[in-house]
Amino acid sequence: MKQKLLLGLLLVFSIKSFSQDSKFSLELNYPMPIDDNLIGRNYNGIIDAGLKYRFVNLDFMNIGASLNAGMYKNTKDDRVQPFDVTTYIFSPRIYGEFNVKSLPKLNPSVGLGYSILNFRADVDRFNNQNNLSVSSSESENGINLNFGIAYDITDKLFAQIQYDFIKIGVDNEVPDIEYNTNINILKIGLGFRL
């Protein structure tokens, strides 16, 4: 574990040393599923981490690519189901961050991408002598639309609020209704420009 931490710190400092005005930023958010839908009603947000890379700097906008990964949990204690479900959401996207001259510390942004949701169920099965744990996994995916605003605390540190709308497709066995296909997530967090 210490080796991984040391390697991570070394990577961060080496990236920082290559460029005075780095185009990378890291973010850590607390995700809150909202609205009356499959995720909003049944899951609690655990963590959401992101990496952004700006590749175009225009006078009024920065354009880049980002990747977010979030973890959501639904435990058997919360529901009548006899198993725990953990959902991981991976969202690569292209984003635009606007430079507002009159409000230089505020940076509104909009992003468009794709989300992959992986549902992992851990089912405990008991028999006469053995306690068995069985895992199953299922994935869904769909379009992701992201809106956000960041406030610069310092040149490197910023606070942010983001909203993700995810429209997933469902197979023939699941009803194609908003409850099953529309996911809304509010994220609050901090970011650091490397």
Side-chain angles (χ1 to χ4, degrees):
M1 180 66 181
K2 289 181 183 180
Q3 291 173 340
K4 289 181 182 178
L5 180 62
L6 181 61
L7 181 62
L9 288 173
L10 186 60
L11 179 64
V12 167
F13 287 117
S14 65
I15 289 172
K16 188 175 178 180
S17 67
F18 283 119
S19 172
Q20 292 290 67
D21 184 26
S22 178
K23 299 177 185 236
F24 285 96
S25 64
L26 298 172
E27 55 189 48
L28 194 59
N29 302 297
Y30 175 68
M32 295 175 285
I34 55 175
D35 204 7
D36 185 23
N37 56 56
L38 172 69
I39 299 294
R41 183 178 278 190
N42 299 308
Y43 290 84
N44 295 315
I46 304 296
I47 191 167
D48 178 86
L51 173 67
K52 287 184 176 176
Y53 175 70
R54 292 180 291 138
F55 50 79
V56 175
N57 293 327
L58 302 173
D59 188 39
F60 67 98
M61 175 190 284
N62 299 320
I63 300 172
S66 67
L67 174 65
N68 281 71
M71 180 180 177
Y72 303 81
K73 189 78 171 169
N74 179 358
T75 62
K76 61 186 171 194
D77 298 334
D78 296 338
R79 308 285 297 154
V80 292
Q81 69 201 22
F83 50 87
D84 293 338
V85 179
T86 303
T87 299
Y88 301 96
I89 300 178
F90 302 97
S91 299
R93 69 177 71 91
I94 299 294
Y95 73 93
E97 182 180 67
F98 300 95
N99 299 318
V100 182
K101 299 290 184 194
S102 59
L103 300 168
K105 289 186 175 265
L106 288 178
N107 301 299
S109 65
V110 62
L112 178 64
Y114 202 73
S115 287
I116 302 160
L117 290 77
N118 181 265
F119 300 89
R120 182 183 167 98
D122 295 318
V123 181
D124 295 326
R125 295 185 181 173
F126 297 95
N127 64 17
N128 292 338
Q129 276 134 21
N130 296 325
N131 179 4
L132 301 175
S133 181
V134 178
S135 294
S136 68
S137 181
E138 182 181 319
S139 291
E140 299 290 346
N141 48 60
I143 299 296
N144 175 292
L145 185 59
N146 173 275
F147 298 97
I149 189 160
Y151 176 78
D152 294 338
I153 298 169
T154 68
D155 288 343
K156 299 283 185 185
L157 185 67
F158 59 92
Q160 68 179 358
I161 296 175
Q162 295 183 48
Y163 165 74
D164 276 359
F165 171 76
I166 304 169
K167 177 76 169 180
I168 61 173
V170 292
D171 59 25
N172 294 336
E173 299 170 4
V174 177
D176 189 5
I177 58 174
E178 286 185 9
Y179 179 86
N180 294 328
T181 62
N182 294 354
I183 298 169
N184 300 285
I185 301 169
L186 185 66
K187 302 181 210 175
I188 300 173
L190 294 173
F192 185 76
R193 295 180 185 93
L194 301 177

